[in-house]
Amino acid sequence: MMPRDSSDANDRSNGAAGGGSRWSDLDRPPLNTAALRRGLVREGGLWTGVDVVQRTGSTNSDLVARATAGQAAEGAVLVAEEQNAGRGRLDRVWTAPPRSGLFFSVLLNPAEVPVARWGWLPLLAGVAVATGLAQAAGVDTALKWPNDVLVTVGEEERKTGGILAERAGNEGVVIGVGINVTLRQDELPVPTAGSLALAGARTTDRDPLLRAVLRSLEDWYGRWRAADGDPAASGLQETYAAGSATLGRLVRAELPGNRSITGEAVAIDGDGRLVLATEEGMQEPVGAGDVVHLRPA
């Protein structure tokens, strides 16, 4: 069998020396770097480069460091077959078996968009990920505010993806995405986690899944940037609300400073905040915090 890209032969020999191989789990083949570049990098397109590494601590940390040092341009994509220090919100650790998911970060430089609207980027990424996965994997997806992607496993909503945005210097934003693709039931880190495989995806081939998500992200980022970051004019606000698993539910928002607010989630406002209608008749916008769904939609 010929190597899938120029790094495969070296990785097999290095893996054998260390007691493992990129092909040690036949249900989880490696990504095809050359094919990803051919499918995504084109003149006039957003994506300017695709790098795949076998293992790293965090693709976000790596790409932020590259961008800050001037070693990455807008549209750089960094993918890891395995992360051992991936981070979610509030510095929670995100880990998964090698090649069981998609773990990647992208660099965006929305310089022409007012900084006040950059807070929409994680929500934009959520819409793009949910849309791309629904199209390529054929699964129903939903968004839990602010940055979780949900699928249905049995009759339960399970988190299969998460998104983290970080500033990179004065002009850059790195968006990190983690998606559980082939995670098995006995590999789930918590009972509320899920994967595309457990949700009955029609494919778990990570190459077309990654291409679909990145193409969706390019499309939504282009719309948003063309509208100067206006979430209403770009259609982002409406689309996010339509795909939200949070709106219409009674939720508890756990806020910084050990505060919490309970109310019905009634809207996503123009700043991307979740608006809660409380029992006291107040409408409280929540801009940061963890949200717990207290009842089904």
Side-chain angles (χ1 to χ4, degrees), residues 19-236:
S21 164
R22 291 183 74 192
W23 292 93
S24 57
D25 188 335
L26 296 180
D27 290 332
R28 292 169 174 166
L31 291 166
N32 186 330
T33 307
L36 288 170
R37 289 172 179 160
R38 287 195 301 270
L40 292 166
V41 180
R42 69 186 193 283
E43 186 175 355
L46 174 61
W47 308 120
T48 54
V50 179
D51 292 323
V52 178
V53 299
Q54 294 310 302
R55 184 179 297 105
T56 192
S58 162
T59 58
N60 253 38
S61 296
D62 293 349
L63 195 50
V64 167
R66 290 187 193 180
T68 303
Q71 298 173 350
E74 180 174 43
V77 180
L78 179 61
V79 190
E81 295 283 32
E82 180 184 7
Q83 283 191 134
N84 53 31
R87 291 173 291 118
R89 296 184 65 254
L90 306 178
D91 285 330
R92 294 183 178 122
V93 176
W94 178 295
T95 60
R99 304 190 304 276
S100 66
L102 290 171
F103 320 112
F104 66 94
S105 298
V106 302
L107 174 61
L108 304 176
N109 292 336
E112 69 278 19
V113 174
V115 173
R117 292 174 171 171
W118 288 17
W120 271 96
L121 281 170
L123 281 71
L124 182 154
V127 167
V129 170
T131 302
L133 292 180
Q135 292 173 346
V139 295
D140 290 332
T141 56
L143 297 166
K144 178 175 177 286
W145 190 92
N147 67 340
D148 291 347
V149 180
L150 308 180
V151 295
T152 301
V153 178
E155 296 183 355
E156 295 181 335
E157 287 181 339
R158 303 274 193 92
K159 177 179 176 179
T160 196
I163 295 157
L164 179 68
E166 297 184 78
R167 289 290 294 267
N170 294 325
E171 298 183 350
V173 178
V174 169
I175 305 290
V177 178
I179 303 166
N180 294 332
V181 177
T182 59
L183 217 60
R184 301 159 186 142
Q185 188 69 37
D186 61 352
E187 294 173 325
L188 297 177
V190 293
T192 54
S195 70
L196 297 181
L198 292 174
R202 64 173 172 241
T203 181
T204 56
D205 186 336
R206 293 178 304 141
D207 284 82
L209 292 174
L210 181 57
R211 288 196 300 270
V213 168
L214 287 173
R215 286 168 180 161
S216 179
L217 181 53
E218 179 176 12
D219 176 52
W220 275 106
Y221 180 62
R223 295 191 212 181
W224 176 79
R225 191 164 57 175
D228 294 324
D230 187 320
S234 63
L236 178 58

